[in-house]
Amino acid sequence: ERPRMINFCLFGAGRIGKLHARNIAENPRSRLRYVFDPMAKAAADLARIHGAKTVADPAAALADPAIDAVLIASSTSTHVDLLTAAAKAGKAVLCEKPIDLDIKRVDKCLAGLKKHKAPVLIGFKAGIGLVIIVDQLPKLFGAHYPKGTFGQSLLSLVQSLPGTSLATLAVG
């Protein structure tokens, strides 16, 4: 049985967004469907390179039931709102660090995320490779996620990215 294709929406078409778009496009189990950036030309250029569409509003991409996962690579000031909206929409989320520069906003965001069942990952480059902090770890990648499910597909995808090592810590 073939692994499930994971359809992504990317928020942020800057330097790190371009890197993530390339990684998504190069993986045969993932597809970049939408790109959003306040700089419409940057979003359009990146979407065109990878055969994706642009959206004028993140809510439009989040409303698409075909989107499985959201990658947030936008400016830090947008992370809390995009994380919250994506989790509310039931999308798996990988958000670049930091969640916010204000720890009170981070705490409030994390408390709000616990109300939703969406898997949330915070990623950052560290010396050897991508390190991922996984919220709701047991539900995502433990015994509660049988082989062949979306959680296993997402874990396999993350582990297959070039230069990636996976470290997991429970958040919250």
Side-chain angles (χ1 to χ4, degrees):
E1 182 178 322
R2 290 182 48 189
R4 181 170 177 248
M5 178 67 71
I6 300 173
N7 293 305
F8 279 88
C9 171
L10 173 66
F11 295 141
R15 183 179 52 86
I16 196 67
K18 289 175 185 173
L19 174 71
H20 285 300
R22 188 186 75 224
N23 286 338
I24 291 168
E26 289 178 356
N27 192 297
R29 294 181 302 197
S30 64
R31 176 180 27 227
L32 183 59
R33 298 284 296 256
Y34 295 107
V35 178
F36 169 80
D37 193 284
M39 306 289 288
K41 182 178 178 344
D45 290 347
L46 189 57
R48 185 177 52 256
I49 290 168
H50 297 291
K53 297 177 183 178
T54 59
V55 288
D57 180 359
L62 294 175
D64 185 340
I67 296 301
D68 302 300
V70 173
L71 207 152
I72 301 172
S74 52
S75 60
T76 299
S77 62
T78 67
H79 290 183
V80 167
D81 292 338
L82 291 173
L83 259 169
T84 302
K88 263 187 189 177
K91 310 299 183 188
V93 184
L94 171 58
C95 180
E96 276 294 328
K97 65 132 177 93
I99 294 172
D100 197 87
L101 298 178
D102 179 344
I103 193 64
K104 290 179 183 174
R105 278 184 48 110
V106 172
D107 289 341
K108 185 177 178 181
C109 177
L110 292 176
L113 291 175
K114 289 179 182 180
K115 298 175 186 169
H116 307 289
K117 294 182 179 183
V120 174
L121 301 90
I122 306 301
F124 60 97
K125 265 306 220 191
I128 336 178
L130 182 67
V131 178
I132 300 205
I133 300 173
V134 181
D135 183 54
Q136 302 174 359
L137 182 63
K139 279 196 277 184
L140 286 176
F141 306 119
H144 302 292
Y145 249 89
K147 284 189 176 227
T149 64
F150 177 74
Q152 285 293 321
S153 294
L154 185 59
L155 176 61
S156 296
L157 174 65
V158 168
Q159 289 175 322
S160 70
L161 293 175
T164 300
S165 59
L166 185 68
T168 52
L169 301 169
V171 173

